C-alpha cells in the first residue's frame, strides 16, 4: 500500500505542475513584430495628403521618423535598381511619431498619414521596431516628367502638375555612362537626346520639387526581317509542306524587298527533316514545297528560313503514321456547332477495331485575329479517355458542352501507338466574340486593375464598333461594375479602382439583339507584385484620328479628350525615325493638333499627354500608314457568280494596288498558328516605342530597403510531385482545297472555287515590290 501511495503522490505532483508547463508559449508571437513591410507611392503632390502603406503582423508600436534629404543620396540609376538606405544618426528628422497598428496578431495593411502639410521636397520615411528598421522615399513634387524613346532618340517633357503648363528652362541632369550632363528644357518643356550612349537616368529640379525617370534600354530594329507561313499548321509525315515567306531589308529607315537566296529547313530538334534553297523574287517573296519523311516522328517541328543575315521561323505540327496505321479527327458539326449541345467528334482509323486515346483541352475563349503567347486563363483538360473504332474504322465521341456561358476553343489530340492526329474546334456563343485582356494577372494591393476589351465578328473579323460591353469584377459577395462603349476599332479600355486580397473574377459581356457574348479572366491581388518599367495607356484618355489609314506625307488630325484636364497637352507621332511633338492648349478637357504621317520601319504610334489632378495621363494609338515597306490588313471581296467549281475574281480594298507576289488559299476550317497570314504582318511592325512617366495616373508603389537590424528570412516554395500538365491547344488541321502563288499587278486575281458546297476560309497574302506585306481574309460560302 505504501508503494501505491507514493506513486499517487508523484502523479498529483505532476498534475499540479502541469499548468506551469502549459503556460510556456509554444510560439513566441513577439517574433512577428519583426515582420513588417513599408511601401510608398511613386508620386506625391504637396497639396494632397501623403500616406505610406505599412503591412504588419502584430500590434506592436512602430516608431516613424521623416527626414528631408537629397535625392542623389538615395536613388540608384536603372529601372530595376533599388534605392540606398541613408544613415540617420547625423540627420535631424523633420518629424517623429508613433503608430500603433490595429488587429492583433494577423496580417494588416495600414495606411499611415505623413503630416508634411504643403511642403515640397524629397523625404525618407523610416519605420522602426526595436533593432529592425526600414526606409522608403517620398517625393513631394509639383513637377512631372515624361520620357519617350524610339530607336532614333530620347525625348523628355516637363510640366507643372498643378497648372498643366509646360516648364520652360527647367534643369535636368542626365546620367550618361559615369557622368552627369546638365540640360534645360526649351520653350515647349522639351529636351531631345539622339547621341549614343543614351542617358540611363534623368533628374529634373524646379525649386524644391524633383522628378526623375530611368529610361529603359532601347533595342535597335534588325537590319533584315524574314517572315514565313505555311499552308496548314498541321502536316502529316510523308506529306508535302508548302511554305511561303518574305524578306525585307532596312535601308534609310524604310524596308525594301531583300535579294538573294532563302535557305529553308524543317528541324525536329537537332534532326534535319527537310531542306531547300529557293530564290527570292523581286518582291522579296519565296515559296517552297518540302517533303516530310514518312518516318518523321509526331511532334512540333521548327520551320526556319534564312535570307542574308535575317532568320524567321514558325512551328509546324507533324502528325505521324505507325506501321500503316493512320488516324483522322474532325468535328461532325464543322463550324456550325451549337454551344448548348455536346460537340460530336468523329475519329477514323485506317484499320478496324483500334484503341485510340483521345485528349481534349478546352480554352474558354474564342479569339479572332489574335494568338495568345501564354496559356489563357481557364484552360483545362476537358476530356481524357480511351475509345475503340468499329469494324469500319470509325467512332464518335461527344465532347461535353460547358455551362459557364463562355465560348470554347477545343484542342483535340488522338493517339494510337505511334500514330497521331489533331485538330482545333471553335464554338462561339454568338456571332460576335469578346476578348478581355488584363494588363497584369498578378496585381499589387491598392493599384487599379486595368484592362482592354476587344470585340469582333466571328466570321469576317470586322470590329464591333459602337457596341456596349458590361464589365464586372467579383470578389466573393463584392462586385464592381462599369459599361464601356467600343470605338471604331472595336476596342475600349477600362479599370477598376481596386480589388481585395486574393483572387477576383472579371467578366466582360456584350449584348446584341440575338445573343450574348462573354469572356472572362482573373486577377490575383498580393501585398506587392513586381512591375515592369514600361507603362500602358491611362484609362481616362480618349484619342482619335480623322482617318483609318494614311499615305506618307499626309496630315494626321489628332483629337484627344481628358475630362477635367487643364493647361497644355503634348501630342506626338513616334517612329523609328524619331518623335514629332506638338504642344497645344487644352480647352474644356480637349486638345487637337496636326502631325505628319511618315514612312518608316517598325510601329508608328500617335500619343497624347495631359495633366489632371496632379497626375500625367498618357495614351498612344497605332498609326496605319500605307507606305513602302509597311504592313497592312485589307478587306477582300469576290467579283463573279459564287457556285461550285466557278472561277471568281478577288479584289483587295483599302490599300493602293502595286505589283507583287500574291498567295491565295481556300481552306476547310479556320487556320491557326503558322498558317495565319494576318500574323505575318505583325513582323514588320515591332513596337519599340516606350513611354515612362514620373507621375502616372494610378498609384504605383515602391518597396522598402533595410536600414538596420536583422529581418526574418521568409522562404516560399511549391511542392510538386508531378510535372505540370501540358495545356497547349492542338493546332487546326485546316486543309487547303485551293492554293496558288502568282505574280499580280493590279490587286486582283482569279480563284477557282471548290466543286463541293460548303463554307471555306479565304486567305490572301500580298507581298508587293515596294516592300509592303498585305493580308486579308474572309469566309466564302459555296451554295
Amino acid at each position: 500500500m505504501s508503494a501505491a501511495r507514493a506513486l499517487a503522490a508523484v502523479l498529483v505532483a505532476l498534475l499540479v505542475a502541469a499548468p506551469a508547463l502549459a503556460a510556456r508559449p509554444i510560439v513566441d508571437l513577439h517574433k512577428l513584430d519583426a515582420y513588417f513591410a513599408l511601401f510608398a507611392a511613386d508620386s506625391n503632390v504637396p497639396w494632397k495628403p501623403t500616406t505610406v502603406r505599412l503591412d504588419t503582423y502584430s500590434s506592436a508600436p512602430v516608431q516613424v521618423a521623416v527626414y528631408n534629404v537629397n535625392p542623389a543620396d538615395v536613388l540608384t540609376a536603372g529601372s530595376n535598381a533599388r534605392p540606398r538606405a541613408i544613415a540617420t544618426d547625423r540627420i535631424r528628422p523633420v518629424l517623429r511619431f508613433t503608430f500603433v497598428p490595429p488587429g492583433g496578431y494577423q496580417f494588416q495593411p495600414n495606411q499611415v498619414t505623413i503630416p508634411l502639410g504643403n511642403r515640397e521636397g524629397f523625404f525618407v520615411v523610416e519605420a522602426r521596431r526595436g533593432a529592425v528598421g526600414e526606409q522608403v522615399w517620398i517625393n513631394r513634387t509639383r513637377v512631372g516628367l515624361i520620357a519617350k524613346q524610339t530607336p532614333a532618340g530620347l525625348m523628355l517633357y516637363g510640366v507643372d502638375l498643378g497648372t498643366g503648363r509646360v516648364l520652360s528652362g527647367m534643369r535636368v541632369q542626365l546620367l550618361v555612362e559615369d557622368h552627369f550632363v546638365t540640360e534645360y528644357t526649351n520653350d515647349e518643356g522639351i529636351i531631345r537626346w539622339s547621341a549614343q550612349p543614351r542617358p540611363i537616368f534623368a533628374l529634373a529640379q524646379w525649386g524644391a520639387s524633383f522628378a526623375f525617370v530611368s529610361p529603359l534600354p532601347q533595342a535597335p530594329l534588325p537590319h533584315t526581317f524574314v517572315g514565313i507561313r505555311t499552308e496548314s499548321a498541321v502536316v502529316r509525315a510523308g506529306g508535302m509542306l508548302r511554305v511561303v515567306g518574305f524578306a525585307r531589308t532596312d535601308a534609310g529607315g524604310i524596308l525594301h524587298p531583300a535579294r538573294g537566296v532563302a535557305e529553308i529547313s524543317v528541324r525536329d530538334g537537332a534532326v534535319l527533316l527537310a531542306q531547300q534553297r529557293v530564290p527570292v523574287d523581286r518582291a522579296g517573296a519565296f515559296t517552297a514545297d518540302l517533303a516530310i519523311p514518312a518516318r518523321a516522328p509526331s511532334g512540333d517541328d521548327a520551320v526556319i528560313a534564312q535570307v542574308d543575315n535575317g532568320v524567321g521561323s514558325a512551328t509546324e505540327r507533324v502528325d505521324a503514321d505507325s506501321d500503316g496505321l493512320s488516324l483522322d479527327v474532325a468535328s461532325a458539326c464543322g463550324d456550325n456547332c451549337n454551344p448548348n449541345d455536346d460537340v460530336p467528334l468523329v475519329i477514323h482509323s485506317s484499320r478496324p477495331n483500334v484503341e485510340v486515346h483521345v485528349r481534349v483541352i478546352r480554352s474558354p475563349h474564342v479569339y479572332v485575329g489574335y494568338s495568345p503567347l501564354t496559356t489563357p486563363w481557364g484552360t483545362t483538360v476537358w476530356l481524357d479517355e480511351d475509345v475503340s473504332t468499329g469494324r469500319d474504322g470509325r467512332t464518335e465521341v461527344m465532347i461535353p458542352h460547358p455551362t459557364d456561358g463562355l465560348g470554347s476553343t477545343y484542342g483535340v489530340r488522338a493517339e494510337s501507338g505511334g500514330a497521331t492526329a489533331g485538330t482545333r474546334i471553335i464554338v462561339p456563343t454568338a456571332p460576335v466574340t469578346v476578348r478581355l485582356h488584363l494588363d497584369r494577372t498578378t496585381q499589387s494591393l491598392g493599384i487599379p486593375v486595368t484592362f482592354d476589351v476587344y470585340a469582333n465578328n466571328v466570321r469576317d473579323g470586322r470590329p464591333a464598333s459602337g457596341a456596349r460591353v458590361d464589365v464586372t469584377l467579383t470578389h466573393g459577395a463584392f462586385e464592381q461594375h462599369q459599361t464601356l462603349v467600343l470605338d471604331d476599332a472595336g476596342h475600349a479600355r477600362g479599370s477598376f479602382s481596386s480589388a481585395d486580397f486574393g483572387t477576383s473574377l472579371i467578366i466582360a459581356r456584350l449584348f446584341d439583339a440575338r445573343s450574348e457574348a462573354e469572356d472572362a479572366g482573373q486577377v490575383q491581388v498580393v501585398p506587392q507584385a513586381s512591375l515592369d518599367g514600361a507603362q500602358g495607356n491611362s484609362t481616362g484618355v480618349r484619342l482619335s484620328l480623322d482617318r483609318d489609314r494614311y499615305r506618307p506625307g499626309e496630315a494626321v488630325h489628332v483629337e484627344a479628350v481628358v475630362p477635367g484636364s487643364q493647361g497644355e497637352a503634348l501630342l506626338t507621332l513616334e517612329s523609328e525615325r524619331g518623335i514629332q511633338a506638338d504642344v497645344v492648349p487644352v480647352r474644356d478637357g480637349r486638345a487637337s493638333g496636326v502631325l505628319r504621317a511618315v514612312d518608316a520601319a517598325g510601329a508608328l504610334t500617335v500619343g497624347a499627354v495631359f495633366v489632371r489632378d496632379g497626375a500625367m495621363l498618357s495614351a498612344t494609338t497605332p498609326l496605319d500608314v500605307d507606305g513602302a515597306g509597311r504592313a497592312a490588313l485589307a478587306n477582300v471581296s469576290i467579283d463573279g457568280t459564287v457556285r461550285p467549281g466557278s472561277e471568281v475574281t478577288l479584289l483587295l480594298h483599302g490599300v493602293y494596288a502595286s505589283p507583287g507576289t500574291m498567295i491565295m488559299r481556300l481552306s476547310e476550317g479556320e487556320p491557326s498558328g503558322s498558317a495565319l497570314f494576318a500574323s505575318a504582318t505583325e513582323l514588320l511592325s515591332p513596337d519599340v516605342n516606350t513611354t515612362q512617366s514620373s507621375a502616372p495616373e494610378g498609384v504605383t508603389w515602391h518597396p522598402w530597403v533595410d536600414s538596420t537590424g536583422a529581418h526574418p528570412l521568409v522562404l516560399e516554395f511549391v511542392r510538386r510531385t508531378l510535372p505540370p500538365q501540358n495545356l497547349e491547344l492542338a493546332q487546326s488541321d485546316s486543309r487547303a482545297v485551293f492554293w496558288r502563288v502568282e505574280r499580280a499587278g493590279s490587286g486582283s486575281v482569279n480563284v477557282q472555287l471548290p466543286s463541293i458546297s460548303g463554307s471555306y476560309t479565304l486567305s490572301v497574302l500580298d507581298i508587293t515590290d515596294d516592300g509592303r506585306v498585305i493580308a486579308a481574309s474572309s469566309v466564302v460560302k459555296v451554295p
Side-chain angles (χ1 to χ4, degrees):
M1 294 295 292
S2 60
R5 288 177 183 156
L7 178 61
V10 172
L11 292 174
V12 170
L14 290 174
L15 291 173
V16 171
L21 294 174
R24 295 178 60 188
I26 298 175
V27 177
D28 184 2
L29 293 177
H30 286 289
K31 288 185 177 180
L32 295 176
D33 295 347
Y35 287 85
F36 64 94
L38 189 64
F39 304 94
D42 291 340
S43 179
N44 293 265
V45 289
W47 56 88
K48 290 184 179 182
T50 295
T51 61
V52 295
R53 200 182 88 212
L54 180 65
D55 295 347
T56 58
Y57 293 85
S58 74
S59 295
V62 180
Q63 305 300 321
V64 180
V66 182
Y67 303 89
N68 190 193
V69 300
N70 189 324
D73 296 333
V74 177
L75 300 176
T76 304
S79 58
N80 297 318
R82 299 197 69 179
R84 298 182 294 267
I86 62 169
T88 60
D89 52 348
R90 297 184 180 180
I91 307 176
R92 176 175 295 182
V94 295
L95 60 96
R96 289 184 184 271
F97 61 93
T98 300
F99 175 77
V100 180
Y105 292 108
Q106 64 176 4
F107 175 76
Q108 179 72 37
N110 308 280
Q111 297 291 330
V112 182
T113 300
I114 307 298
L116 287 170
N118 59 357
R119 292 190 203 177
E120 300 177 31
F122 193 87
F123 301 87
V124 167
V125 178
E126 183 176 62
R128 180 180 295 277
R129 272 178 172 170
V132 178
E134 297 176 359
Q135 293 180 0
V136 70
W137 57 263
I138 292 177
N139 188 27
R140 301 259 300 173
T141 181
R142 64 182 304 110
V143 174
L145 192 65
I146 281 275
K148 285 183 172 288
Q149 278 199 103
T150 74
L154 166 70
M155 188 187 82
L156 299 171
Y157 173 68
V159 67
D160 189 307
L161 297 177
T163 65
R165 299 290 182 183
V166 300
L167 295 176
S168 173
M170 180 174 65
R171 187 182 70 168
V172 181
Q173 291 180 288
L174 304 174
L175 179 58
V176 183
E177 292 187 323
D178 58 353
H179 64 281
F180 278 99
V181 176
T182 301
E183 298 283 346
Y184 294 87
T185 57
N186 63 14
D187 292 341
E188 293 186 322
I190 291 174
I191 292 174
R192 294 181 182 271
W193 184 282
S194 58
Q196 292 290 346
R198 298 275 183 89
I200 60 173
F201 183 74
L203 176 63
Q205 183 176 5
W206 185 266
S209 287
F210 297 90
F212 48 88
V213 292
S214 289
L216 296 170
Q218 193 72 23
L221 290 175
H223 178 70
T224 303
F225 295 77
V226 178
I228 186 168
R229 288 298 177 265
T230 62
E231 178 189 45
S232 174
V234 180
V235 66
R236 186 164 294 280
M240 193 67 67
L241 174 63
R242 288 172 170 170
V243 301
V244 295
F246 58 85
R248 296 290 183 262
T249 299
D250 189 348
I254 298 178
L255 297 181
H256 299 275
R259 298 288 187 263
V261 174
E263 297 185 6
I264 307 170
S265 61
V266 181
R267 292 184 177 272
D268 177 17
V271 178
L272 179 65
L273 298 181
Q275 188 174 24
Q276 195 173 143
R277 288 171 56 90
V278 295
V280 177
D281 67 16
R282 73 180 74 171
F286 55 87
T287 181
D289 293 345
L290 298 159
I292 304 300
R295 294 185 176 275
S298 62
D300 293 330
D301 296 340
V303 184
I304 303 172
Q306 181 173 351
V307 179
D308 195 12
N309 293 323
V311 177
S313 65
T315 300
E316 183 75 8
R317 175 70 188 186
V318 174
D319 281 334
D321 299 342
S322 177
D323 295 330
L325 173 64
S326 62
L327 299 177
D328 184 71
V329 294
S331 166
C333 51
D335 57 356
N336 294 307
C337 300
N338 189 330
N340 299 315
D341 296 335
D342 294 348
V343 177
L345 179 68
V346 178
I347 302 174
H348 288 277
S349 63
S350 60
R351 292 202 301 255
N353 304 319
V354 173
E355 185 173 298
V356 180
H357 181 74
V358 182
R359 192 169 189 259
V360 179
I361 295 175
R362 181 205 177 215
S363 172
H365 313 272
V366 173
Y367 298 124
V368 174
Y370 171 78
S371 297
L373 299 178
T374 58
T375 302
W377 167 84
T379 302
T380 186
V381 177
W382 196 250
L383 180 72
D384 196 344
E385 63 181 41
D386 294 322
V387 298
S388 295
T389 61
R391 290 189 300 177
D392 58 352
R394 183 185 186 277
T395 189
E396 187 171 289
V397 178
M398 302 303 294
I399 302 176
H401 71 278
T403 58
D404 52 20
L406 301 173
S408 300
T409 300
Y410 298 103
V412 181
R413 182 74 59 203
E415 182 177 359
S416 180
T420 60
T423 192
R424 184 177 291 190
I425 304 170
I426 299 175
V427 185
T429 60
V432 174
T433 182
V434 176
R435 175 164 66 92
L436 174 68
H437 176 77
L438 300 174
D439 284 2
R440 297 180 180 89
T441 56
T442 301
Q443 187 81 22
S444 296
L445 179 68
I447 294 181
V449 179
T450 52
F451 56 89
D452 294 276
V453 177
Y454 304 85
N456 297 83
N457 187 282
V458 175
R459 294 299 182 189
D460 56 19
R462 294 180 184 273
S465 56
R468 302 178 71 87
V469 178
D470 293 331
V471 187
T472 304
L473 182 146
T474 303
H475 183 91
F478 174 75
E479 288 189 349
Q480 297 183 56
H481 300 269
Q482 67 176 270
T483 300
L484 305 174
V485 178
L486 303 183
D487 59 19
D488 292 341
H491 166 257
R493 184 163 174 83
S495 69
F496 291 106
S497 58
S498 63
D500 291 334
F501 276 119
T503 301
S504 296
L505 181 66
I506 302 178
I507 300 177
R509 295 184 177 91
L510 184 149
F511 301 90
D512 62 18
R514 296 174 294 171
S515 57
E516 173 184 338
E518 295 184 1
D519 196 21
Q522 76 173 29
V523 60
Q524 182 78 18
V525 176
V526 297
Q528 181 72 12
S530 61
L531 301 177
D532 52 22
Q535 297 159 352
N537 286 350
S538 303
T539 57
V541 182
R542 297 200 303 271
L543 185 60
S544 60
L545 309 179
D546 62 325
R547 291 163 56 185
D548 294 332
R549 181 168 291 161
Y550 300 85
R551 294 281 292 145
E554 291 182 337
V556 180
H557 294 266
V558 183
E559 180 82 14
V561 180
V562 175
S565 60
Q566 59 182 337
E568 293 161 312
L570 172 69
L571 303 180
T572 58
L573 193 157
E574 302 155 35
S575 71
E576 191 266 347
R577 291 189 168 187
I579 301 173
Q580 295 181 36
D582 188 14
V583 177
V584 297
V586 176
R587 297 184 178 90
D588 298 325
R590 295 178 175 271
S592 59
V594 179
L595 302 169
R596 190 68 56 180
V598 297
D599 194 356
L604 303 177
T605 55
V606 171
V609 178
F610 287 80
V611 173
R612 182 180 68 184
D613 195 25
M616 302 180 78
L617 285 74
S618 64
T620 60
T621 188
L623 178 68
D624 193 350
V625 175
D626 192 12
R630 302 291 306 164
L633 297 177
N635 298 320
V636 59
S637 65
I638 292 178
D639 184 18
T641 303
V642 178
R643 63 175 182 268
S646 67
E647 186 173 81
V648 296
T649 301
L650 302 184
L651 300 173
L652 294 181
H653 304 280
V655 294
Y656 73 91
S658 176
T661 300
M662 189 172 289
I663 300 95
M664 297 142 287
R665 179 185 62 201
L666 281 170
S667 56
E668 296 177 328
E670 182 74 20
S672 68
S674 61
L676 275 175
F677 286 175
S679 63
T681 63
E682 299 173 2
L683 177 69
L684 299 184
S685 302
D687 190 359
V688 292
N689 307 323
T690 61
T691 299
Q692 294 169 266
S693 172
S694 68
E697 173 193 23
V699 178
T700 56
W701 305 87
H702 56 270
W704 52 272
V705 294
D706 289 334
S707 57
T708 58
H711 287 69
L713 180 64
V714 180
L715 297 179
E716 297 181 356
F717 63 92
V718 177
R719 184 186 299 276
R720 292 190 184 274
T721 57
L722 294 173
Q725 286 184 316
N726 179 11
L727 297 178
E728 183 179 356
L729 289 174
Q731 296 293 345
S732 174
D733 189 3
S734 54
R735 303 174 186 180
V737 297
F738 177 85
W739 173 271
R740 180 183 294 172
V741 180
E742 68 176 43
R743 288 285 302 174
S746 60
S748 65
V749 290
N750 295 332
V751 170
Q752 186 83 27
L753 295 181
S755 59
I756 300 176
S757 300
S759 180
Y760 301 90
T761 300
L762 169 65
S763 305
V764 179
L765 188 64
D766 189 10
I767 305 170
T768 66
D769 292 354
D770 63 0
R772 290 177 301 150
V773 177
I774 303 165
S777 65
S778 182
V779 175
V780 178
K781 293 185 178 295
V782 179

